[in-house]
Amino acid sequence: MNDLATLQSPGASPPGPLGDQLQRLGPWFHNLHLPGGVQTAPDHPLGDFPKFKWKEIAPHLPNDLHGWRVLDIGCNAGFYSFELARRGANVVGIDEDLHYLRQARWVRRRFGLGECVRFRQMSVYELSGWQESFDMVLFLGVFYHLRYPLLALDRIAARTRRMLVFQSLRLPGEAVATDVKGKAYLEIDDLAKPDWPRMAFVEHDFAGDASNWWIPNRAAMEALLRSAGFNIVASPAKGTYVCEPKR
């Protein structure tokens, strides 16, 4: 489990069996609004997370997803998976952490969503063994936790038919270099400029979390997406992109 406990909640504790279950399943990183009004993490340090992120992304996605197959990578407790299922999608959520998958399966039963949302314990690297593809892939808050992030993007690109929704922690700054082609050896100093695509490597930990490995700047995020075979069609928020495969 992610050891960044400061960004999690121990779980809501309404009286009775429901509160006991929420506490046993905690800590929670996703605050989910359950039937009846109870929330899984009402005291989340980020606020109503990830609902406020969903509000940024949702207008850029189709309202009717009937017939769409969706893959939610790093699904955690399933917030985004459930939102897309409500729009009609058939969703597969994957996560390496069994703790979060237990939460997701428990919440799925509370929502009564049945088999339209399925969860599997696996890593993004294991996509290389899959033959199936997906109309939409969500890759939110995972990139910077990966030791081999471009390998993951390549494997995601091979499985994406229509749309990728990508989000990552990123370095400060908005500058993006426009002259990045055909650099000569004597122009190597250009690669050290703030607008050049770059990623900071985290050898030990960042924000108390040893699973943080690479933090890109804006230029690198956009270049990496293009390099993996995507066109950027929208940027709903800082570090968030809606992409489509290059044709």
Side-chain angles (χ1 to χ4, degrees), residues 1-2 21-30 32 34 40 74-79 82 93-111 117-122:
M1 179 171 37
N2 188 322
Q21 291 179 64
L22 288 168
Q23 290 286 309
R24 284 197 300 269
L25 286 164
W28 294 80
F29 186 59
H30 280 183
L32 294 118
L34 304 176
T40 59
C75 62
N76 203 275
F79 179 94
F82 300 134
I94 66 171
D95 204 295
E96 290 188 282
D97 197 322
L98 187 57
H99 170 84
Y100 294 129
L101 292 175
R102 290 192 190 99
Q103 294 177 342
R105 290 167 178 147
W106 181 85
V107 174
R108 179 182 60 187
R109 291 193 295 272
R110 305 292 302 188
F111 286 148
V117 184
R118 292 172 291 131
F119 296 104
R120 294 182 58 173
Q121 185 179 23
M122 61 178 287

Side-chain angles (χ1 to χ4, degrees), residues 143 149-158 164 166 180-181 196-199 218-232 241 243-247:
F143 180 87
L150 192 52
L151 173 62
L153 269 181
D154 287 344
R155 293 186 173 176
I156 289 168
L164 169 71
F166 172 95
V180 295
K181 295 181 180 179
W196 189 268
R198 66 174 66 202
M199 294 203 291
R218 176 187 170 184
M221 291 174 68
E222 296 176 2
L224 286 162
L225 289 166
R226 291 192 298 269
S227 175
F230 293 102
N231 290 319
I232 297 169
Y241 296 92
C243 309
E244 61 184 16
K246 294 179 182 178
R247 305 301 180 189

Side-chain angles (χ1 to χ4, degrees), residues 202-225:
V202 179
E203 181 181 1
H204 301 292
D205 66 82
F206 177 75
D209 187 349
S211 75
N212 289 317
W213 287 104
W214 295 96
I215 305 176
N217 64 4
R218 176 187 170 184
M221 291 174 68
E222 296 176 2
L224 286 162
L225 289 166

Side-chain angles (χ1 to χ4, degrees), residues 63-238:
N63 288 320
D64 185 355
L65 292 174
H66 287 87
W68 284 52
R69 285 181 50 75
V70 173
L71 176 64
D72 183 3
I73 299 170
C75 62
N76 203 275
F79 179 94
Y80 298 106
S81 295
F82 300 134
E83 291 294 337
L84 294 170
R86 291 188 183 100
R87 294 191 178 197
N90 186 292
V91 184
V92 177
I94 66 171
D95 204 295
E96 290 188 282
D97 197 322
L98 187 57
H99 170 84
Y100 294 129
L101 292 175
R102 290 192 190 99
Q103 294 177 342
R105 290 167 178 147
W106 181 85
V107 174
R108 179 182 60 187
R109 291 193 295 272
R110 305 292 302 188
F111 286 148
L113 288 172
E115 290 303 308
C116 64
V117 184
R118 292 172 291 131
F119 296 104
R120 294 182 58 173
Q121 185 179 23
M122 61 178 287
S123 80
V124 63
Y125 304 119
E126 293 176 82
L127 291 178
S128 61
W130 284 19
Q131 298 301 315
E132 60 186 313
S133 58
F134 295 85
D135 298 287
M136 181 191 301
V137 177
L138 269 67
F139 190 43
L140 304 173
V142 178
F143 180 87
Y144 50 97
H145 291 297
L146 300 176
R147 190 169 174 88
Y148 310 104
L150 192 52
L151 173 62
L153 269 181
D154 287 344
R155 293 186 173 176
I156 289 168
R159 305 270 75 85
T160 306
R161 287 199 296 258
R162 301 197 208 184
M163 182 180 293
L164 169 71
V165 186
F166 172 95
Q167 184 273 331
S168 175
L169 178 69
R170 64 169 239 199
L171 296 172
E174 299 297 326
V176 176
T178 56
D179 180 18
V180 295
K181 295 181 180 179
K183 290 293 179 182
Y185 177 76
L186 293 179
E187 297 176 296
I188 195 169
D189 287 351
D190 287 352
L191 279 63
K193 294 178 179 178
D195 60 353
W196 189 268
R198 66 174 66 202
M199 294 203 291
F201 177 68
V202 179
E203 181 181 1
H204 301 292
D205 66 82
F206 177 75
D209 187 349
S211 75
N212 289 317
W213 287 104
W214 295 96
I215 305 176
N217 64 4
R218 176 187 170 184
M221 291 174 68
E222 296 176 2
L224 286 162
L225 289 166
R226 291 192 298 269
S227 175
F230 293 102
N231 290 319
I232 297 169
V233 298
S235 181
K238 181 179 178 180

